[in-house]
Amino acid sequence: MINSKEIESLHVESDELYQVLSIEGDSLINLPQNMDSHLMLEMYKKMVSCREFDEKAMKLQRQGRLGTYASFKGQEASQVGSSIALEFSDWMFPTYRDHAATHTHGQKWSTIFLYWMGHIDGSICPEGKKILPPSVPIATQLLHAVGTAWADKLKGEENVSIVYFGDGATSEGDFHEALNFSGVFQTPTVFFCQNNQFAISVPFEKQSASKTIKQRAHAYDMKGVRIDGNDIFAVYLTVKEAVDRARNGGGPTLIEAVTTRYGSHTTADDSKKYRNQEKIEKDWPTTQDPIPRLEKYLRKNHLLDKETEDEMKREIKKEIDEALSIAENYPKATTKQMFEHVYAVNTATIKKQEEEFLHLLGEER
Amino acid sequence: MTQEKLTMLQAINQTLDQVLETKEEVMLLGEDIGKNGGVFRATEGLFEKYGGDRVVDTPLAESGIIGSSIGLALNGKIPIVEIQFLAFIYPGFEQLVSHAARMRYRTRGQFSVPFVIRTPYGAGIRGPELHSESVESFFVQTPGLKVVAPSTPHDAKGLLISAIEDPDPVIFLEDTKLYRAFKEEVPQEMYRIPIGKANVVKEGEDLSIIAWGGMVREAMKAADKLEKSKGWKCEVIDLRSISPLDEETIIHSVKKTGRAMVVHEAHKTGGLGGEITAIINENALIYLKAPVKRVAGFDIPVPSFTLEDQYLPNALRIEQGINETITF
Ligand SMILES: Cc1ncc(C[n+]2csc(CCOP(=O)(O)OP(=O)(O)O)c2C)c(N)n1
């Protein structure tokens, strides 16, 4: 357990961003014991790996090797820092932009590639894991994380359910229904909002008259926290505290991690149309990019040297190249597979449609 | 075998009681289903017997109810949801069609949502606006969902047990006008009526009438009357499940009778009658001696209750339909 008193005093009841790691890479608090060098290096490695994946995916998309792709660049600290605070069997409900989180929680890069390549096997998670497919309808997945957490509570199991969503999602009814249900039934759910300040083209100030997303927690009598989402220490410590609280019967938490969507909404979008993208690209590397921030800390504290870093980057590159190769050599989905898993046992209608179509194609059944 | 005469409502209540008793994963969720026992009293007495963790009065939010039930089902529970009236399912529609129905498919069988949504539907009880809809087509058009509509207390019990044991999401439509309409013998023990199998409630040679829910009774009344007055023998098929459809029973019957008529309360255009007609055309066209007839709700909003009897397919329209088809 972390020293929650210390953290609480810093960020509760304030609209200010809770920050632990300064932009210069200095820690603003005495870090709790569980934040050891091993964990910090793991955080760094995961963030670098996620960045590498994301940049690779953008290139592949331009080459026509992936379909439309949603980049999470800029949000690595939020996603890695939050998911690294989970236990193996915790439930995770992501959106289309949260594959840095799903990967950190155990999803394979090769499967994530498959998803963006439009393969039907792209949403299968590793055996024993509870990582659900990315939710496409905005905010709907929040309620699922209430339900799984509720079932765990009723069964006396200690899992926590974490759900990811954006600032735009907080305007949907399902966001409010989920917070309300979670409050009423005191479910062990962590609501993790990445306020990347844009929902496609709409900035948060047009999304809502609320100053913060955190303040919505107050309405549901839930703990709400607003943190610097580019500060992986703040993210980790806050989520760890929320997860521990949930696991110990203390109920849900709403976390607003303020971060930046570095690029366009997806590869099908052009952010120049609605925001000053040039300025973001100019300022972001020195003020908001979460990776150099942690790197500075690690270097100042002699936890990372050039040699370790080069070795790490080589490893990561290899890992992602291998994942891509697995995905690109993965067996093509068959027409027959297209008809599978609509029901536990498919209906006569589906069977007939399948048979007739396969017959027409002249394929083996 | 102990039997008891029960209304459909009592049969449903008994079934819910028995599944709560025998399956610890079962939970009931809905608005006013606890102390109040549901607006129709389908869950009467269950809150007192099983407590608030298993018979849950939820906040008033259908997306919330269905969405959180998806999570409960993902994690081993068997939620049986009551939506107060079918038209109030709309806030939860997205959860049903975009998540519950697709979970198994998009995870290639890794995750699934075995739950039941029970909801009263249909006109005929002098309900206020939007308390009388039959929009089952919305759900029938959604792959991954099953839709069931019992026509008797006995069937309600057997079908509800099958729905609860089904590994996939089932929408269980309860025709409000049948709730207290009549009693029949319902076995005390748990029994199952298979989903996807129709029931031939009356055999005949001259015309196949296909219906479900409350319309089965109306079809039977008309069939009996015309049998007496004209000697026509209609075969009446109660679909029981409207998704999946028991095509086999329909086709088999139409091949025998050479005539078919579909009776449904839902609006005619885009209603299931069109689908059933197409199935008949695709499979038994050369057996037909007359066009397939549809007697259905009109393509108007279900009107306020002083007019609802005019909206509903009634004996007059059904008899006319039989007449036209047999004398074509
Ligand atoms: C119910 C619904 N409405 C609209 C959309 C189309 N859409 C996709 S992403 C998006 C913006 C979401 O913004 P936000 O929640 O802030 O998440 P972000 O994309 O920034 O991560 C919209 C409107 C959708 N997917 N679902």
Side-chain angles (χ1 to χ4, degrees):
Chain A
M1 284 283 287
I2 56 171
N3 182 352
S4 57
K5 259 228 175 81
E6 187 167 14
I7 290 158
E8 211 154 299
S9 60
L10 269 158
H11 62 75
V12 168
E13 305 314 332
S14 150
D15 281 350
E16 302 224 327
L17 290 186
Y18 171 57
Q19 207 185 58
V20 174
L21 191 57
S22 73
I23 293 173
E24 295 74 35
D26 299 311
S27 177
L28 305 173
I29 62 166
N30 290 327
L31 291 173
Q33 271 174 3
N34 65 342
M35 283 206 51
D36 55 18
S37 59
H38 177 77
L39 176 65
M40 292 178 189
L41 280 172
E42 183 64 16
M43 285 173 172
Y44 185 69
K45 189 173 171 192
K46 283 281 183 236
M47 284 207 288
V48 173
S49 173
C50 291
R51 178 68 56 85
E52 174 76 18
F53 175 92
D54 196 72
E55 289 180 344
K56 181 111 195 165
M58 291 295 284
K59 276 190 215 129
L60 293 169
Q61 198 281 333
R62 281 194 286 271
Q63 295 166 4
R65 289 156 81 186
L66 300 188
T68 301
Y69 176 74
S71 162
F72 53 67
K73 185 169 174 175
Q75 302 180 207
E76 292 87 351
S78 289
Q79 295 190 24
V80 172
S82 55
S83 46
I84 220 165
L86 302 175
E87 296 295 329
F88 180 90
S89 60
D90 286 339
W91 292 83
M92 179 179 279
F93 294 85
T95 74
Y96 45 82
R97 202 187 300 291
D98 298 315
H99 31 303
T102 60
H103 172 69
T104 306
H105 196 40
Q107 182 58 288
K108 291 187 287 208
W109 282 136
S110 56
T111 307
I112 297 171
F113 271 133
L114 285 175
Y115 180 82
W116 295 105
M117 287 171 176
H119 195 291
I120 50 172
D121 283 351
S123 285
I124 299 174
C125 71
E127 191 62 30
K129 277 285 180 185
K130 298 160 186 161
I131 304 171
L132 276 289
S135 178
V136 174
I138 302 299
T140 51
Q141 75 279 14
L142 275 75
L143 282 157
H144 308 163
V146 174
T148 48
W150 189 359
D152 276 325
K153 182 183 172 185
L154 291 170
K155 292 193 281 187
E157 282 174 23
E158 292 200 331
N159 306 318
V160 166
S161 298
I162 188 165
V163 55
Y164 291 81
F165 52 101
D167 41 301
T170 65
S171 296
E172 290 275 8
D174 276 5
F175 166 79
H176 296 272
E177 296 193 21
L179 259 60
N180 191 45
F181 268 64
S182 186
V184 171
F185 300 108
Q186 285 297 296
T187 65
T189 309
V190 176
F191 296 96
F192 190 79
C193 178
Q194 289 164 86
N195 180 356
N196 65 11
Q197 305 171 58
F198 278 87
I200 308 187
S201 66
V202 178
F204 186 67
E205 60 271 21
K206 283 199 183 169
Q207 195 66 246
S208 172
S210 306
K211 263 214 264 332
T212 70
I213 289 164
K214 167 214 149 151
Q215 74 195 57
R216 309 272 178 79
H218 184 67
Y220 299 100
D221 251 332
M222 179 184 297
K223 206 168 170 70
V225 192
R226 189 162 193 263
I227 61 176
D228 180 346
N230 302 327
D231 167 354
I232 194 162
F233 289 178
V235 174
Y236 172 78
L237 291 173
T238 305
V239 174
K240 184 78 174 78
E241 185 192 313
V243 159
D244 286 344
R245 181 169 43 247
R247 225 183 285 289
N248 295 325
T253 306
L254 171 64
I255 298 168
E256 174 185 7
V258 180
T259 179
T260 304
R261 191 190 80 203
Y262 172 81
S264 291
H265 172 66
T266 65
T267 51
D269 170 57
D270 179 8
S271 59
K272 287 191 212 72
K273 205 150 178 273
Y274 51 80
R275 68 178 194 184
N276 191 342
Q277 182 65 22
E278 243 171 54
K279 185 166 160 38
I280 289 172
E281 284 175 22
K282 193 166 149 280
D283 297 349
W284 177 84
T286 48
T287 57
Q288 290 146 64
D289 187 348
I291 297 179
R293 201 190 287 199
L294 178 58
E295 189 191 333
K296 279 180 209 156
Y297 176 88
L298 294 176
R299 286 205 195 283
K300 281 185 189 176
N301 290 277
H302 312 292
L303 297 169
L304 185 71
D305 54 38
K306 177 114 180 49
E307 207 177 313
T308 322
E309 181 160 24
D310 288 349
E311 172 62 21
M312 187 188 272
K313 287 191 170 158
R314 259 197 307 279
E315 239 176 71
I316 286 168
K317 210 175 150 342
K318 189 160 157 270
E319 185 198 358
I320 288 171
D321 285 344
E322 275 169 13
L324 177 63
S325 160
I326 292 170
E328 290 197 322
N329 292 303
Y330 195 86
K332 275 210 180 86
T334 63
T335 310
K336 189 170 157 30
Q337 284 177 316
M338 178 176 84
F339 289 97
E340 290 170 357
H341 300 298
V342 184
Y343 298 92
V345 179
N346 270 357
T347 61
T349 326
I350 297 172
K351 284 184 191 146
K352 193 164 160 232
Q353 290 171 3
E354 176 188 348
E355 243 167 54
E356 287 175 358
F357 190 47
L358 290 180
H359 181 74
L360 180 70
L361 294 175
E363 269 181 41
E364 280 287 296
R365 253 191 76 77
Chain B
M1 189 159 81
T2 2
Q3 305 240 6
E4 214 185 333
K5 280 201 162 225
L6 300 178
T7 62
M8 185 186 277
L9 212 43
Q10 289 167 331
I12 288 167
N13 182 268
Q14 184 189 80
T15 310
L16 295 175
D17 189 358
Q18 289 173 337
V19 292
L20 279 162
E21 177 87 46
T22 54
K23 287 182 196 291
E24 67 168 335
E25 313 83 40
V26 166
M27 286 171 72
L28 310 191
L29 299 98
E31 295 157 10
D32 310 292
I33 66 161
K35 268 200 181 137
N36 192 42
V39 288
F40 284 99
R41 307 284 176 264
T43 56
E44 180 90 46
L46 302 179
F47 172 82
E48 289 75 8
K49 200 161 162 190
Y50 299 99
D53 275 351
R54 299 196 64 201
V55 181
V56 187
D57 264 330
T58 64
L60 208 172
E62 290 73 16
S63 191
I65 300 169
I66 297 175
S68 59
S69 291
I70 289 172
L72 286 164
L74 283 171
N75 196 1
K77 293 287 177 187
I78 306 175
I80 306 176
V81 168
E82 177 175 303
I83 295 294
Q84 223 156 49
F85 287 89
L86 181 54
F88 305 143
I89 207 167
Y90 302 152
F93 190 69
E94 182 180 34
Q95 289 290 350
L96 265 178
V97 302
S98 299
H99 286 295
R102 300 168 60 94
M103 190 62 79
R104 180 186 295 284
Y105 190 75
R106 57 202 300 258
T107 63
R108 309 279 297 136
Q110 198 171 23
F111 293 102
S112 58
V113 182
F115 71 11
V116 180
I117 312 283
R118 297 178 37 247
T119 179
Y121 83 103
I125 56 158
R126 305 282 175 263
E129 262 195 296
L130 287 167
H131 287 66
S132 311
E133 317 298 297
S134 0
V135 288
E136 60 269 19
S137 287
F138 291 162
F139 307 104
V140 174
Q141 245 254 317
T142 304
L145 298 181
K146 295 183 181 179
V147 187
V148 172
S151 68
T152 71
H154 173 270
D155 282 12
K157 179 166 183 180
L159 284 167
L160 185 53
I161 292 172
S162 295
I164 293 162
E165 292 174 352
D166 199 279
D168 288 301
V170 181
I171 315 287
F172 194 83
L173 298 174
E174 302 167 2
D175 194 328
T176 52
K177 56 190 159 296
L178 295 178
Y179 267 153
R180 298 185 174 93
F182 63 101
K183 287 191 175 186
E184 75 174 354
E185 302 278 339
V186 175
Q188 175 70 37
E189 81 267 6
M190 309 257 275
Y191 58 92
R192 284 134 196 100
I193 292 177
I195 292 177
K197 276 303 288 164
N199 182 28
V200 179
V201 284
K202 174 175 155 55
E203 296 205 16
E205 295 85 47
D206 298 316
L207 167 71
S208 307
I209 307 181
I210 298 140
W212 58 91
M215 287 300 111
V216 175
R217 286 186 94 207
E218 300 308 312
M220 282 295 284
K221 278 188 224 156
D224 286 342
K225 191 169 158 201
L226 292 185
E227 182 162 349
K228 284 201 191 86
S229 62
K230 308 224 172 171
W232 293 336
K233 286 194 165 25
C234 293
E235 178 143 305
V236 179
I237 299 172
D238 173 2
L239 285 181
R240 285 178 169 166
S241 305
I242 50 182
S243 177
L245 274 175
D246 182 358
E247 297 190 10
E248 216 174 301
T249 299
I250 299 170
I251 295 161
H252 179 79
S253 172
V254 175
K255 283 183 176 171
K256 180 176 73 174
T257 62
R259 299 182 188 91
M261 179 167 107
V262 188
V263 183
H264 65 61
E265 185 174 332
H267 313 290
K268 187 170 184 176
T269 300
L272 222 55
E275 184 60 36
I276 293 166
T277 307
I279 289 168
I280 295 168
N281 287 347
E282 284 170 352
N283 295 283
L285 184 70
I286 53 167
Y287 294 83
L288 288 180
K289 298 173 210 159
V292 179
K293 186 86 195 164
R294 287 180 291 166
V295 177
F298 299 112
D299 291 338
I300 57 173
V302 181
S304 303
F305 62 79
T306 53
L307 282 169
E308 70 178 352
D309 291 341
Q310 265 90 294
Y311 171 84
L312 282 171
N314 55 16
L316 185 71
R317 291 175 59 209
I318 298 172
E319 283 166 30
Q320 184 208 30
I322 297 175
N323 224 319
E324 278 179 16
T325 309
I326 292 189
T327 62
F328 177 76

